Amino acid sequence: MLRFWTLAAATALLAACGQPQPGETSGEPAEDTSVETSAPAEQAEMQEASADAGAWPPVGETSAAITAEDLHFRIATLADDRFEGRAPAAEAGERSAQWIADELARVGVQPAGTEGWFQPVPLIEATLDEGNSRLDISVNGGPMGLSMGEDIVYWSQNPEEQVSIADTELVFVGYGVVAPEYGWNDYEGLDVEGKTVVILVNDPGYAQPDAGRFNGEAMTYYGRWTYKYEEAGRQGAAGAIIVHQTEPASYGWDTVVASWTGPQFTLDMPPSDLVPVQGWIHLDAARELFAETGQDFDALAEAAAEPGFQPVALEGATMSAELNTSLRRLTSNNVVGMVEGSQAPDEYVLLMAHWDHLGVRLNFASDDRIYNGAVDNATGTAAIMEMMEAFALGEQPRRSVLFVAVTAEEQGLLGSAWYAANPTVPLNQIVAGLNIDGELPVGRTEDVVVVGFGASEIEDILREEADAQGGRYLTADPNPEAGYFYRSDHVSLARVGVPMLYAGGGSVHRELGREHVETAALAYRMNRYHQPGDEYRADWDLSGQEEDAQLLYSVARRIADSDVWPNWYEGNEFRGLRDAMMEER
């Protein structure tokens, strides 16, 4: 899951460039301003030369130093078509995990999983039979005729081959949040047993950032789609439908379709409360639904951000669904390695990134069906591989350094959730962790963006190391309403108390300024994020990624060579968990 820079600025740029708004189409893709135009013949020649160089996958000739050249090699390999988009539990995807392990072994990292290099992660793959499934909403007995992929996307997380609901009443529950610490309960006094709830994306703080509610414009966990489905299940709902809105979601409808169609994964473990039918509805279809039931969607959405909002029954509207799903129980793997510490081998600095992407699936825009995930997240995986190589071939660190490349991030942070629940080392012996998840190839930047800025004392070390790297400075995530802190793997460890840092990339290019980065982020977000177009290009400028990997290595090295235990800052939501954990050491 990749973060993006300021959405308001990106939207303005979109309009200025005459690009289509999310949900619209254009005959030509937007120009990719994050890289220079490459010569197709030259790129094809390089690919042919790579294929002729030997057996696949290639064995690298990388250096102990963290270099752009090494990053190019590792990103290009991970994003190659022959790994078929690195889908978890798929043969080609697991071969990419094996290649990561082989590369680590080559440079001297030691295996540290539960089974050699690997920590098996049990998964259930659920694939909706779209031709033999249906979902529709009727108003006063007349079906709306919602089309899968155009108007609505739906599925079930229940590990059952057949799930059906019939004529469930629809209730608009605002943001669908129960948050005692914020004095908020959208379900108070409401019985939704057997009903379908319609929910807004994000949380009430987003709608009125100056009103002092929740975390203001910065999304809390209550704004995440995962939470909304979980809470609907706890409330006993039969269905939960989230209304897609591009700005509060921070991604377009195409991303929804790409992410929630095709095979879906859950952890193969006793299920918690799950709402049987889940889905997203396109904003246009939602407005039509509300209008047909005599309601004004925009007025109700505005009212839902006010304290004391009362849920509204969508009178006359019912939802029925018959979902037929094929289930397979599969195993994917987290890749786990270690460089042992010289003096405190039972204390660990954690380096984390997710190796998976979306694999091969339908793509209505072109014949390309491979979702390569070059930026998301071959870049992050390559970076922590570079950092581990530097630790393995450099001076032995005082503390051990733990490498965890997790699987199934794109399916809901499943690999990291499994690791947090089944750690290979005690959680109270992990000193601190660094996560890297997607970095655009925009070149060197003046600043370093910290997602979840102000969360942990690891930032104090990062600030000093960034300043030493030519006067770089820290910048808070400029798009906090997107909730990126809760959308990558570090949060799985944070939720059990381990101090984590999610940083990298910047918002101001050293020569070309802020607009260059914003335009590049927009082009990626609109045309390549979770799309087959997220492909590696040989002319990428990886100088910034080289600099960022060197910076994060220096942070990890400093912690690894010290005896400090950075904590969450006072007042942080995870501080109590860490304090309680450390009392047991």
Side-chain angles (χ1 to χ4, degrees), residues 192-541:
V192 297
E193 187 79 29
K195 299 180 181 180
T196 290
V197 292
V198 181
I199 312 170
L200 295 174
V201 72
N202 216 307
D203 63 42
Y206 170 83
Q208 298 182 5
D210 298 326
R213 301 182 189 121
F214 286 71
N215 225 10
E217 66 177 353
M219 184 192 286
T220 65
Y221 186 66
Y222 295 111
R224 295 285 293 123
W225 57 266
T226 48
Y227 165 78
K228 295 176 188 293
Y229 293 133
E230 291 165 1
E231 188 59 50
R234 285 189 286 268
Q235 297 291 331
I241 302 295
I242 297 175
V243 178
H244 175 262
Q245 294 171 282
T246 296
E247 291 193 11
S250 80
Y251 42 79
W253 180 252
D254 287 347
T255 297
V256 172
V257 175
S259 301
W260 280 277
T261 55
Q264 303 290 307
F265 290 88
T266 56
L267 289 173
D268 189 0
M269 55 194 301
S272 57
D273 296 321
L274 294 172
V275 61
V277 177
Q278 303 175 7
W280 289 81
I281 187 169
H282 193 284
L283 179 59
D284 292 343
R287 284 199 170 110
E288 179 185 348
L289 165 65
F290 277 61
E292 290 189 9
T293 59
Q295 303 293 340
D296 183 327
F297 171 81
D298 294 303
L300 285 180
E302 183 177 351
E306 297 290 344
F309 170 76
Q310 296 295 312
V312 176
L314 300 181
E315 297 290 349
T318 61
M319 188 174 84
S320 298
E322 293 181 7
L323 309 185
N324 290 281
T325 304
S326 62
L327 303 177
R328 290 198 302 161
R329 282 173 165 79
L330 304 168
T331 300
S332 187
N333 289 288
N334 292 334
V335 184
V336 187
M338 183 178 67
V339 172
E340 189 173 39
S342 60
Q343 299 178 44
D346 60 347
E347 298 175 5
Y348 303 89
V349 177
L350 171 65
L351 304 181
M352 177 172 281
H354 73 91
W355 62 257
D356 67 294
H357 201 240
L358 300 178
V360 179
R361 55 180 62 196
L362 289 176
N363 172 30
F364 297 106
S366 74
D367 293 333
D368 188 357
R369 299 176 60 222
I370 298 176
Y371 290 68
N372 303 80
V375 171
D376 183 17
N377 184 36
T379 57
T381 304
I384 63 170
M385 291 173 72
E386 279 287 280
M387 293 163 68
M388 286 302 289
E389 182 176 27
F391 275 112
L393 299 180
E395 182 179 349
Q396 186 179 12
R398 178 180 179 275
R399 288 165 160 159
S400 295
V401 181
L402 194 63
F403 172 101
V404 183
V406 293
T407 185
E409 188 269 358
E410 302 291 2
Q411 302 292 337
L413 315 182
L414 300 183
S416 58
W418 183 262
Y419 188 86
N422 304 275
T424 57
V425 300
L427 293 173
N428 61 8
Q429 291 176 210
I430 300 177
V431 180
L434 284 70
N435 177 54
I436 306 178
D437 188 0
E439 188 170 339
L440 288 171
V442 296
R444 299 171 66 223
T445 59
E446 295 178 1
D447 60 334
V448 183
V449 170
V450 179
V451 180
F453 184 80
S456 84
E457 295 167 354
I458 308 172
E459 289 176 29
D460 298 335
I461 300 171
L462 177 67
R463 182 177 291 104
E464 293 175 3
E465 294 298 321
D467 183 62
Q469 195 184 50
R472 298 183 76 190
Y473 53 90
L474 306 190
T475 298
D477 175 9
N479 194 16
E481 65 272 17
Y484 291 121
F485 186 79
Y486 301 96
R487 290 167 59 173
S488 190
D489 291 298
H490 62 282
V491 78
S492 295
L493 277 296
R495 291 177 69 184
V496 294
V498 178
M500 298 291 294
L501 176 72
Y502 178 21
S507 59
V508 183
H509 191 276
R510 286 185 182 268
E511 287 84 34
L512 302 175
R514 184 180 302 277
E515 185 172 328
H516 172 77
V517 179
E518 290 179 337
T519 304
L522 174 65
Y524 177 82
R525 174 177 173 268
M526 296 302 296
N527 298 292
R528 289 177 295 287
Y529 173 55
H530 280 198
Q531 300 295 326
D534 187 2
E535 296 186 300
Y536 168 77
R537 289 178 57 160
D539 60 357
W540 274 356
D541 179 359

Side-chain angles (χ1 to χ4, degrees), residues 134-138 163-170 193-196 237-239 276-277 317-323:
R134 66 175 185 86
L135 180 149
D136 206 356
I137 295 173
S138 296
V163 173
S164 65
I165 59 175
D167 300 324
T168 61
E169 299 175 16
L170 268 64
E193 187 79 29
K195 299 180 181 180
T196 290
V277 177
T318 61
M319 188 174 84
S320 298
E322 293 181 7
L323 309 185

